[in-house]
């Protein structure tokens, strides 16, 4: 298959790109005489968007049994608990909701997804549903699952056993929620357990960490030093780290040395955090997001995710990472030209690092033919116009094709 006359993100000029049997076979400068295939009309090809952090077992449950009226994280957790205890959780129903969310994400250019799944929901219907979906979606959208102990590991009866059971069922990564454990000591013990499990199952670590506005919430330093000492940094993600937005600068400058040495990755969910955090503040009201710009400028890897699509924590969300990116660069004040000119990294290549993708990611001959074609010419134009994904190809198969609406302005 030939895609002719496309820009390729990060390169000058126009290209003709060919792929065959699921691999890129040729990338050459565009020649007018080349006919056939798909005419990209100068639009921009890039590797697909990566969703590094979502909860597919919870999507599309907003309003059941009731909406989160305060908009706080903790009412979200209690509302989800009510959902779990009042609604019959059935594998087929969870898969249907998750599949609907995946279709939305695919429409907006996502081909790789890391989803958390609540392992403190003891029927394990969610784990079963997402493990089945992970297999069924292979070759269309690649899914990684994370064993997520929503009610804690030490603070939940049988929490360690539930985590082991999930890993035995084939869950991809080990999760955690140390800041939510009853005490700091429980949080620290949970971190040691998380890495023990990761070593035992040779799995990546992806932990909800310091998702609050408490400047004393400092599980991140324990997560980073454990990752450093066990040589697990590149395979570790610290998600949210909202409290870093409240840390004082003196502590942060010390912390950054450890974070860099540890080589851990970060995830931030700016639409979710700007919605959930700062709720207990009067004014001035904190933004409740981690230091996305400062971490990035220090050379650390930060990827943006959605967290929720219409669930007890966040009632909106349609699977569109460009919308998340737009919020993220505003809240993090990454709207200076230098940051703006490569902002798509935050929802693409940085997410690929979080998911430890390799052969399957990048526009290069010999790599898997995974790409999207965006209606625009560069990062600034794409984020400014919220450009549509006009083509999404995974393993050489077209999974989404969109014909943008033609609009005629009459003046
Ligand atoms: Fe989350």
């Amino acid at each position: 298959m030939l895609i002719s006359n496309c820009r390729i993100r990060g390169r000058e000029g126009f290209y003709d790109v060919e792929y065959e049997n699921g691999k890129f076979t040729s990338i050459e400068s565009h020649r007018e005489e080349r006919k056939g295939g798909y005419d990209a009309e100068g639009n921009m090809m890039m590797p697909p968007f990566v969703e590094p952090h979502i909860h597919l077992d919870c999507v599309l449950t907003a309003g059941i049994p009731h909406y989160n009226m305060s908009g706080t994280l903790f009412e979200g957790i209690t509302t989800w608990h009510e959902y779990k205890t009042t609604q019959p959780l059935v594998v087929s129903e969870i898969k249907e909701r998750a599949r609907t969310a995946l279709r939305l994400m695919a429409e907006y250019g996502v081909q790789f997804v890391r989803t958390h799944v609540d392992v403190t929901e003891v029927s394990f219907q969610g784990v079963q549903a997402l493990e089945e979906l992970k297999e069924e979606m292979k070759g269309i959208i690649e899914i990684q699952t994370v064993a997520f102990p929503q009610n804690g590991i030490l603070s939940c009866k049988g929490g360690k056993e539930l985590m082991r059971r999930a890993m035995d069922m084939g869950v991809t990564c080990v999760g955690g929620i140390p800041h939510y454990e009853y005490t700091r000591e429980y949080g620290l013990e949970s971190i040691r357990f998380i890495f023990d499990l990761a070593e035992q199952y040779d799995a990546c670590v992806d932990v909800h960490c310091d998702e609050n506005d408490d400047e004393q919430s400092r599980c991140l330093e324990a997560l980073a030093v454990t990752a450093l000492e066990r040589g697990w940094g590149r395979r570790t993600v610290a998600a949210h780290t909202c409290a870093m937005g409240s840390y004082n600068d003196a502590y942060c400058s010390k912390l950054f040395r450890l974070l860099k040495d540890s080589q851990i990755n970060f995830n931030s969910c700016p639409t979710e955090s700007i919605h959930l955090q700062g709720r207990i503040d009067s004014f001035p009201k904190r933004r409740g997001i981690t230091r996305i710009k400062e971490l990035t400028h220090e050379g650390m890897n930060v990827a943006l995710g959605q967290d929720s699509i219409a669930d007890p924590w966040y009632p909106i969300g349609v699977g569109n990472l460009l919308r998340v990116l737009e919020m993220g660069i505003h809240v993090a004040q990454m709207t200076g030209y230098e940051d703006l000119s490569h902002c798509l990294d935050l929802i693409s290549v940085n997410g690929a690092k979080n998911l430890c993708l390799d052969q399957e990611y990048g526009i290069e001959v010999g790599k898997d033919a995974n790409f999207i074609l965006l209606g625009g010419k560069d990062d600034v134009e794409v984020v400014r116009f919220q450009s549509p994904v006009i083509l999404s190809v995974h393993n050489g198969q077209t999974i989404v094709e969109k014909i943008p609406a033609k609009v005629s302005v009459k003046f």
Side-chain angles (χ1 to χ4, degrees), residues 41 54 61 78 81 97 108 112 116 217-218 226 261 289 296 300 320 382 384 396:
E41 299 178 337
I54 195 147
T61 59
T78 54
H81 183 72
R97 284 190 284 104
Y108 292 106
F112 297 93
H116 294 256
S217 188
R218 294 179 176 185
T226 311
D261 286 351
I289 61 159
T296 303
M300 288 178 267
N320 184 356
V382 166
R384 180 173 165 231

Side-chain angles (χ1 to χ4, degrees), residues 53-55 116 148 208 211 239-240 269 272 307:
H53 188 113
I54 195 147
H55 296 253
H116 294 256
F148 174 54
H208 284 64
E211 189 182 6
H240 302 304
C269 300
E272 187 92 1
D307 217 356

Side-chain angles (χ1 to χ4, degrees), residues 39-57:
D39 183 357
E41 299 178 337
N43 285 308
M44 185 172 78
M45 177 186 285
M46 66 175 287
F49 293 154
V50 176
E51 172 51 74
H53 188 113
I54 195 147
H55 296 253
L56 282 177
D57 51 343

Side-chain angles (χ1 to χ4, degrees), residues 58-68 79-80 83 97 308-317:
C58 307
V59 292
L60 307 173
T61 59
I64 311 170
H66 58 78
Y67 282 97
N68 177 344
T79 307
W80 173 241
Y83 183 95
R97 284 190 284 104
S308 297
I309 298 178
D311 69 13
W313 291 271
Y314 183 65
I316 317 175

Side-chain angles (χ1 to χ4, degrees), residues 107-163:
E107 181 182 336
Y108 292 106
V110 171
Q111 294 183 14
F112 297 93
V113 175
R114 181 177 278 183
T115 177
H116 294 256
V117 54
D118 182 4
V119 301
T120 59
E121 192 290 292
V122 294
S123 77
F124 262 52
Q125 295 290 290
V127 178
Q128 183 66 34
L130 296 192
E131 285 307 303
E132 287 181 20
L133 205 55
K134 181 167 85 178
E135 290 303 311
E136 290 167 21
M137 295 303 292
K138 268 183 183 162
I140 305 168
I141 289 183
E142 310 306 330
I143 299 173
Q144 297 180 1
T145 47
V146 184
F148 174 54
Q150 176 69 78
N151 296 339
I153 297 174
L154 277 296
S155 313
C156 173
K157 190 162 179 275
K160 288 184 178 178
E161 261 327 296
L162 293 168
M163 292 290 287

Side-chain angles (χ1 to χ4, degrees), residues 155-175:
S155 313
C156 173
K157 190 162 179 275
K160 288 184 178 178
E161 261 327 296
L162 293 168
M163 292 290 287
R164 282 194 198 97
R165 186 175 158 199
M167 297 310 294
D168 282 338
M169 286 173 68
V171 169
T172 321
C173 312
V174 184

Side-chain angles (χ1 to χ4, degrees), residues 3-305:
I3 308 289
S4 65
N5 193 24
C6 62
R7 288 179 166 84
I8 298 178
R9 180 172 183 257
R11 303 187 199 188
E12 294 294 320
F14 295 86
Y15 292 86
D16 298 326
V17 176
E18 285 184 283
Y19 52 94
E20 209 177 301
N21 298 325
K23 305 277 183 195
F24 288 114
T25 53
S26 160
I27 300 171
E28 293 179 357
S29 291
H30 174 56
R31 298 198 313 271
E32 278 302 326
E33 65 273 21
R34 294 201 76 162
K35 298 286 182 215
Y38 184 100
D39 183 357
E41 299 178 337
N43 285 308
M44 185 172 78
M45 177 186 285
M46 66 175 287
F49 293 154
V50 176
E51 172 51 74
H53 188 113
I54 195 147
H55 296 253
L56 282 177
D57 51 343
C58 307
V59 292
L60 307 173
T61 59
I64 311 170
H66 58 78
Y67 282 97
N68 177 344
M69 301 305 283
S70 66
T72 59
L73 175 69
F74 294 107
E75 187 175 338
I77 293 172
T78 54
T79 307
W80 173 241
H81 183 72
E82 283 180 57
Y83 183 95
K84 289 192 287 190
T85 49
T86 58
Q87 308 298 312
L89 281 164
V90 180
V91 166
S92 58
E93 187 271 339
I94 298 167
K95 282 170 74 176
E96 199 45 49
R97 284 190 284 104
R99 224 183 251 115
T100 303
L102 289 168
R103 283 194 202 100
L104 286 168
M105 286 190 255
E107 181 182 336
Y108 292 106
V110 171
Q111 294 183 14
F112 297 93
V113 175
R114 181 177 278 183
T115 177
H116 294 256
V117 54
D118 182 4
V119 301
T120 59
E121 192 290 292
V122 294
S123 77
F124 262 52
Q125 295 290 290
V127 178
Q128 183 66 34
L130 296 192
E131 285 307 303
E132 287 181 20
L133 205 55
K134 181 167 85 178
E135 290 303 311
E136 290 167 21
M137 295 303 292
K138 268 183 183 162
I140 305 168
I141 289 183
E142 310 306 330
I143 299 173
Q144 297 180 1
T145 47
V146 184
F148 174 54
Q150 176 69 78
N151 296 339
I153 297 174
L154 277 296
S155 313
C156 173
K157 190 162 179 275
K160 288 184 178 178
E161 261 327 296
L162 293 168
M163 292 290 287
R164 282 194 198 97
R165 186 175 158 199
M167 297 310 294
D168 282 338
M169 286 173 68
V171 169
T172 321
C173 312
V174 184
I177 188 165
H179 61 279
Y180 189 68
E181 301 282 358
Y182 286 144
T183 64
R184 176 172 169 79
E185 287 67 31
Y186 276 14
L188 299 180
E189 188 179 336
S190 78
I191 289 170
R192 285 189 290 274
F193 173 78
I194 288 161
F195 281 92
D196 287 346
L197 210 55
E199 286 175 345
Q200 187 185 338
Y201 287 85
D202 192 22
C204 292
V205 167
D206 196 324
V207 170
H208 284 64
C209 194
D210 301 322
E211 189 182 6
N212 55 41
D213 291 318
D214 176 9
E215 61 139 345
Q216 295 299 320
S217 188
R218 294 179 176 185
C219 298
L220 176 58
E221 61 182 21
L223 184 78
V225 80
T226 311
L228 173 68
E229 288 173 357
R230 303 212 189 185
W232 222 260
R234 289 182 194 276
R235 300 180 74 188
T236 297
V237 175
H240 302 304
T241 60
C242 305
M244 197 196 293
S246 295
Y247 291 164
N248 65 69
D249 288 339
Y251 173 66
C252 237
S253 67
K254 174 201 166 212
L255 176 66
F256 268 37
R257 179 169 155 255
L258 165 63
L259 297 179
K260 272 198 276 192
D261 286 351
S262 74
Q263 299 184 306
I264 67 169
N265 302 285
F266 294 86
N267 160 254
S268 177
C269 300
T271 44
E272 187 92 1
S273 293
I274 199 75
H275 163 73
L276 290 173
Q277 304 302 324
R279 289 275 178 176
I280 304 168
D281 290 352
S282 175
F283 289 92
K285 202 178 267 291
R286 285 169 290 178
R287 299 175 187 215
I289 61 159
T290 196
R291 301 191 181 199
I292 303 172
K293 180 164 73 174
E294 292 72 17
L295 290 165
T296 303
H297 287 190
E298 288 290 327
M300 288 178 267
N301 187 54
V302 187
L304 305 187

